[in-house]
Amino acid sequence: MTQDYIISIEEFKQKYKKQPDLFVLDVREDHEYAYAHVPKSVHIPLGQLESSLSKLPKDKEIFIICRTGNRSDYAAHLLMHYGFKHVFNIVPGMIAWDGPIENGVEK
C-alpha cells in the first residue's frame, strides 16, 4: 500500500476553499462531531462504518477526517478494501483544522 491516499490538512484546506461541496466523512464519535466539524460533513463513527457503506458514494472522492488521522487512516483502508477507489485520509485532522466549522448534530 502506498501513501497516495494521504492528503495533508493544508492540501485539503485549499481544495475545500475552491470546492466546499467535497464529500467529507467524519469518523469521530458523536460527542466529538457535535463539538465541531467541517460544514456539511457526513458523520459515521468508525465503529459503524462497515455497516454503513451503502451511504457512501463510490463515484466521488471521499475525504476522511477524525481528530488526528489515526481513525481516518483505518477508515480509508477499510473503504479501499471494499472497493472504494478515491479515498483520502486527511492528516493530521481536526486538531489542525482552522477552516469553517459547524457544531451540533446532523438534522
Side-chain angles (χ1 to χ4, degrees):
M1 173 89 35
T2 66
Q3 297 289 311
D4 294 339
Y5 69 99
I6 293 175
I7 185 170
S8 72
I9 193 78
E10 292 80 18
E11 290 174 276
F12 175 70
K13 284 181 207 175
Q14 292 305 312
K15 275 183 138 337
Y16 186 82
K17 276 184 190 176
K18 295 176 186 168
Q19 201 176 351
D21 62 339
L22 294 173
F23 192 93
V24 180
L25 173 63
D26 192 316
V27 295
R28 296 175 299 150
E29 295 299 318
D30 293 342
H31 68 279
E32 295 173 288
Y33 182 84
Y35 180 73
H37 55 267
V38 175
K40 299 181 185 174
S41 58
V42 173
H43 177 232
I44 303 174
L46 182 59
Q48 298 170 21
L49 186 57
E50 195 165 11
S51 64
S52 302
L53 296 175
S54 64
K55 297 178 182 178
L56 302 176
K58 281 205 168 185
D59 61 339
K60 291 181 85 173
E61 293 180 324
I62 299 175
F63 295 89
I64 310 168
I65 196 163
C66 67
R67 183 174 170 270
T68 63
N70 291 325
R71 286 175 282 181
S72 53
D73 187 65
Y74 182 87
H77 281 89
L78 182 71
L79 294 184
M80 288 186 276
H81 172 77
Y82 281 102
F84 289 82
K85 305 253 185 256
H86 309 287
V87 296
F88 299 93
N89 177 23
I90 303 168
V91 176
M94 288 300 292
I95 61 167
W97 177 250
D98 62 0
I101 61 165
E102 291 180 341
N103 51 32
V105 293
E106 295 176 55
K107 295 170 179 71

